[in-house]
Amino acid sequence: VAEAAEAEEADVQAVLGVLFNLSLDYDAAAHAFERALQLRPGDYSLWNKLGATRANAMRPEQALDPYVRALELRPDYVRALTNLGISYGNLGQTMEGAACYLRALELNPRGAHIWSYLIMLLHKGGHPQLAERAAARDVEAFRGAVDF
């Protein structure tokens, strides 16, 4: 009975986190996701949601650890890889962000939005030659140029 109550409480907190995000109350959303994670620490999706909440609150540096934890739990989680790339880009860490996008693209080569993020990041980061490679949508073209 106690396990069922904890599972239900984790679900309630996760839903509250989503609702607080929708109302742009990121501090309350983060708190709700943190409470849910206390009850369900192995839930990769909750870690990603916490990272996204922190990123949406304009705190990309605080988003990194939750995204990394989500990826430790599920290394093939394309959404967390993409979100981690966005946060690295927002922190000015172009090559780290590019590596995340390329790992995501290895898993989902047809992810048009990820290719777009990669191209924008490389242009913004001062790497127009690499952005041209991204326009060809060939992950292998980055071998040796980006460590991923």
Side-chain angles (χ1 to χ4, degrees), residues 24-104:
L24 308 181
D25 188 347
Y26 299 122
D27 290 335
H31 181 71
F33 288 131
E34 288 163 356
R35 291 196 59 214
L37 282 163
Q38 289 172 350
L39 299 168
R40 202 180 305 151
D43 187 327
Y44 65 89
S45 179
L46 286 174
W47 284 106
N48 184 65
K49 286 179 173 82
L50 176 60
T53 298
R54 290 178 176 174
N56 289 340
M58 305 308 288
R59 295 192 291 261
E61 69 286 347
Q62 293 177 13
L64 300 179
D65 286 342
Y67 291 145
V68 168
R69 183 67 184 127
L71 290 165
E72 288 170 352
L73 294 166
R74 185 173 169 193
D76 64 345
Y77 193 23
V78 172
R79 178 171 285 171
L81 282 166
T82 303
N83 288 345
L84 184 58
I86 292 168
S87 286
Y88 276 132
N90 287 337
L91 291 168
Q93 297 178 19
T94 301
M95 298 315 283
E96 292 85 349
C100 292
Y101 290 144
L102 289 165
R103 284 179 48 212

Side-chain angles (χ1 to χ4, degrees), residues 14-30 32-33 53 56-57:
V15 169
L16 285 173
V18 171
L19 292 173
F20 284 130
N21 257 309
L22 291 172
S23 66
L24 308 181
D25 188 347
Y26 299 122
D27 290 335
F33 288 131
T53 298
N56 289 340

